[in-house]
């Protein structure tokens, strides 16, 4: 009876929705569009502010290190030190040393020209003097930002301050709090930019959305064009009425079909979990520099009695919605321990990754279960990695607490499928993480003209900035592997190395790779042993 009432309510709601005036739908769509546009732009401005701080603090750290050195100024050792810092500091293009108001030497060597010490345009709270539009000795002569602390300065490409992953239509700018422009991405409305530099604000004009973010050191500005979609929707509401009716009817029919299917699937899944009919496969994880298999990601599989496979992206959401996910997670932990105990005890360098549900990321329940089940097995906590998708970060405080507890217990914590969720950039820097797994959609775009192709390098750079190691998912070609190795991505998984394997197949595969590549890894770690 309850199911019948639910289906009737779904159909009735769809029909009522079809009868609503389209102008009302258009109005609320317009309101929602404004909210989404403004929220997205505000988030982009916040990320730009964070990027400006990282670019500045990277340079500041290099200058402090230089000012602490005791090597003779402009000696070969001093020039080499400046050169090393220019190479290792992501934001630095050139490093220089001033003496008696003149540039004496740089990371390129001794200075022959008579170049005076620049006059600062702005001084930060840390005492660093900033000068805009400085032309370097080498390079193409593009204007740089000079940052000076003590007798050393370094030149920074201003574009580093606005090097942020964002919608291609968004234009960014960074300035000092008093409105001195540091960098911009060619904002088309310079009058709007000038106004925002004087009076930071969030809102929109006839042609643009804009948002700002600021603190005591930097002001970040994000601007995007307003599209004509909402205006068109308001001018032609009745043209959408037939489409609204058809969509409502199709939605009602789809709701009926989905309700019946999910109800049946829920009962099937409950029986499969209760009878422990699910099994595990293991996707090998490869250390890209050596080729050694260091572990695997555990993947739950459901094969019905008739031999048909049910996809995880179908039955896992059902488990989460119907309260079966706890039992499913506990079953996965049991299977991983039973399958991999001997291997993990025998090879302490190996690990197995277990995926956490959104509920467990927020509550930490699975961690308690895992800790109890590991006791007496001989498996070390650091051999079990925990992977959390961004859906688990809805309760951000709960996620932060449970992930911190997992790390204290010795587990390595990774964010899975990075780049496809709304919260990635907003929360990544605040969560206690060890690793970032790059979603396979970004790996597939490597070497293509896809809009997401340039994003991959930004994700890798961001992970390194945050001190996280990276795991590339879905590696399928040698070209992708070469790209990842060139950018020092530590680990990879995908069909280039192996398909997901049963437990026995994975153990054989792991030992084979260890024999094949283990010696090379030892030689890399201890070069003298190969001589």
């Amino acid at each position: 009876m309850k199911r019948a009432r639910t289906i009737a309510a779904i159909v009735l709601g769809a029909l009522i929705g079809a009868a609503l005036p389209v102008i009302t739908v258009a109005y609320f769509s317009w309101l929602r569009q404004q909210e989404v546009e403004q929220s997205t732009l505000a988030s982009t401005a916040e990320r730009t502010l964070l990027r400006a701080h990282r670019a500045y603090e990277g340079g500041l750290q290099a200058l402090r290190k230089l000012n602490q050195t005791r090597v003779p100024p402009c000696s070969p050792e001093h020039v080499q030190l400046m050169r090393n810092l220019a190479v290792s500091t992501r934001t630095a293009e050139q490093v220089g040393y001033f003496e008696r108001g003149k540039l004496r030497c740089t990371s390129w060597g001794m200075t022959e020209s008579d170049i005076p010490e620049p006059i600062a345009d702005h001084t930060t709270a840390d005492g660093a003097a900033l000068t805009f539009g400085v032309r370097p000795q080498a390079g193409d002569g593009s204007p740089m930002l000079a940052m000076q602390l003590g007798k050393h300065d370094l030149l920074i490409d201003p574009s580093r301050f606005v090097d942020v992953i964002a919608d291609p239509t968004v234009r960014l700018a960074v300035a000092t709090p008093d409105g001195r422009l540091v960098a911009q991405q060619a904002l088309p409305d310079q009058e709007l930019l000038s106004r925002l530099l004087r009076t930071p604000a969030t809102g929109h004009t006839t042609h643009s959305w804009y948002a700002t973010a600021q603190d005591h050191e930097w002001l970040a500005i994000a601007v995007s064009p307003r599209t004509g979609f909402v205006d068109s929707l308001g001018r032609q509401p009745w043209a959408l009425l037939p489409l609204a009716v058809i969509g409502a009817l199709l939605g009602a029919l789809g709701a009926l079909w989905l309700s019946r299917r999910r109800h049946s699937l829920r009962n099937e899944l409950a029986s499969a979990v209760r009878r422990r009919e699910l099994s595990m496969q293991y996707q090998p994880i490869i250390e890209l520099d050596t080729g050694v298999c260091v572990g695997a990601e555990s993947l739950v599989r459901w094969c019905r009695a008739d031999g048909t496979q049910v996809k995880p992206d179908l039955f896992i959401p059902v488990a989460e919605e119907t309260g079966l996910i706890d039992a499913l997670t506990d079953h996965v932990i049991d299977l991983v321990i039973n399958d991999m105990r001997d291997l993990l005890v025998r090879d302490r360098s190996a690990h197995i990754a277990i995926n956490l549900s959104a509920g467990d990321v927020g509550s930490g329940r699975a961690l308690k279960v895992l800790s109890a089940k590991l006791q007496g097995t001989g498996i070390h906590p650091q051999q079990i990695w925990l992977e959390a998708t961004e859906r688990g970060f809805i309760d951000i405080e709960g996620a932060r607490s449970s992930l911190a507890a997992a790390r204290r217990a010795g587990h390595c914590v990774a964010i899975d499928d990075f780049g496809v969720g709304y919260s990635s950039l907003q929360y990544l820097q605040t969560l206690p993480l060890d690793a970032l797994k790059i979603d396979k959609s970004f790996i597939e775009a490597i070497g293509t003209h896809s809009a997401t192709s340039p994003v991959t390098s930004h994700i890798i750079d961001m992970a390194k900035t945050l001190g996280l190691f990276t795991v590339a998912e879905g590696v399928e070609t040698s070209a992708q592997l070469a790209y990842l190795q060139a950018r020092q991505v530590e680990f990879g998984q995908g069909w280039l190395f192996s398909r997901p394997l049963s437990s026995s197949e994975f153990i054989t595969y792991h030992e084979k790779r260890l024999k094949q590549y283990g010696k090379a890894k030892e030689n890399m770690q201890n070069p003298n042993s190969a001589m």
Side-chain angles (χ1 to χ4, degrees), residues 233-281:
L233 186 64
R235 289 193 301 267
Q236 298 178 333
W238 296 108
L240 298 176
L241 182 57
L243 185 61
V245 173
I246 293 172
L249 292 175
L250 290 175
L253 293 174
L256 285 170
W257 176 83
L258 186 61
S259 175
R260 290 174 179 172
R261 184 178 181 190
R262 291 180 80 83
H263 185 77
S264 173
L265 187 63
R266 188 263 181 217
N267 292 337
E268 266 194 278
L269 180 59
S271 177
V273 171
R274 185 171 60 253
R275 297 176 182 177
R276 294 183 168 262
E277 294 176 350
L278 288 88
S279 62
M280 301 302 297
Q281 288 191 335

Side-chain angles (χ1 to χ4, degrees), residues 307-495:
T308 59
Q309 296 279 347
V310 184
K311 294 183 178 180
D313 56 4
L314 179 61
F315 71 80
I316 289 179
V318 171
E320 291 179 327
E321 293 170 11
T322 58
L324 291 170
I325 191 65
D326 288 351
L328 179 59
T329 300
D330 295 351
H331 185 37
V332 166
I333 293 172
D334 285 338
L335 289 173
V336 169
I337 291 175
N338 290 337
D339 288 346
M340 294 295 144
R341 177 178 179 176
D342 290 345
L343 173 64
L344 295 177
V345 171
R346 184 168 64 251
D347 182 358
R348 291 302 183 186
S349 66
H351 78 271
I352 301 296
I354 296 177
N355 292 285
L356 297 180
S357 70
D360 278 325
V361 172
S363 68
R365 186 204 67 87
L367 178 61
K368 298 176 183 177
V369 174
L370 177 61
S371 297
K373 291 181 179 292
L374 286 179
Q375 290 184 6
T377 64
I379 300 173
H380 292 171
Q382 57 266 33
Q383 293 182 279
I384 303 295
W385 291 11
L386 301 177
E387 297 184 4
T389 60
E390 295 172 72
R391 289 186 300 109
F393 303 151
I394 296 175
D395 175 12
I396 189 64
E397 292 303 325
R400 187 179 291 113
S401 175
S402 63
L403 296 182
R407 295 182 79 200
R408 287 195 300 271
H411 301 289
C412 177
V413 177
I415 179 172
D416 196 14
D417 299 332
F418 178 78
V420 297
Y422 68 93
S423 63
S424 308
L425 299 171
Q426 184 176 2
Y427 295 127
L428 186 61
Q429 67 272 18
T430 68
L431 290 167
L433 300 170
D434 299 287
L436 181 153
K437 300 192 73 174
I438 307 172
D439 184 70
K440 64 180 180 180
S441 61
F442 295 103
I443 305 304
E444 290 171 353
I446 291 173
T448 70
H449 298 292
S450 166
T452 58
S453 180
V455 176
T456 310
S457 61
H458 289 288
I459 292 176
I460 295 169
D461 289 343
M462 181 174 56
K464 293 184 183 301
T465 300
L466 295 174
L468 307 177
F469 63 82
T470 45
V471 183
E473 299 181 302
V475 182
E476 296 184 356
T477 68
S478 298
Q480 292 169 354
L481 175 60
Y483 176 95
L484 297 168
Q485 287 175 323
R487 283 155 183 79
Q488 297 179 327
V489 172
E490 290 86 353
F491 305 104
Q493 60 185 82
W495 282 60

Side-chain angles (χ1 to χ4, degrees), residues 116-259:
E117 185 172 346
I119 299 174
D121 295 314
H122 176 77
T123 302
T124 69
D126 300 300
L130 304 182
T131 307
F132 308 119
V134 175
R135 303 281 179 174
Q137 275 191 298
D140 59 5
S142 299
M144 298 283 177
L145 171 68
M147 181 191 303
Q148 183 171 351
L149 187 68
K151 293 186 176 183
H152 291 89
D153 83 338
L154 56 83
L155 300 185
I156 300 174
D157 185 343
S159 65
R160 294 289 188 179
F161 285 76
V162 290
D163 187 14
V164 175
I165 302 172
D167 187 291
T169 64
V170 175
R171 293 292 179 266
L172 306 173
V174 169
T176 60
D178 58 358
R180 295 173 182 267
L181 188 65
V182 175
Q184 67 162 311
Q185 293 178 333
L187 271 68
D189 190 345
Q190 290 295 304
E191 183 177 344
L192 173 61
L193 174 61
S194 297
R195 177 157 59 87
L196 294 176
L197 289 173
R198 293 191 304 270
T199 310
T202 295
H204 60 84
T205 65
T206 304
H207 303 291
S208 303
W209 300 98
Y210 57 86
T212 60
Q214 66 180 131
D215 56 20
H216 65 285
E217 285 291 0
W218 304 105
L219 166 64
I221 298 171
V223 179
S224 69
R226 295 185 71 176
T227 64
F229 170 74
V230 174
D231 294 335
S232 175
L233 186 64
R235 289 193 301 267
Q236 298 178 333
W238 296 108
L240 298 176
L241 182 57
L243 185 61
V245 173
I246 293 172
L249 292 175
L250 290 175
L253 293 174
L256 285 170
W257 176 83
L258 186 61
S259 175

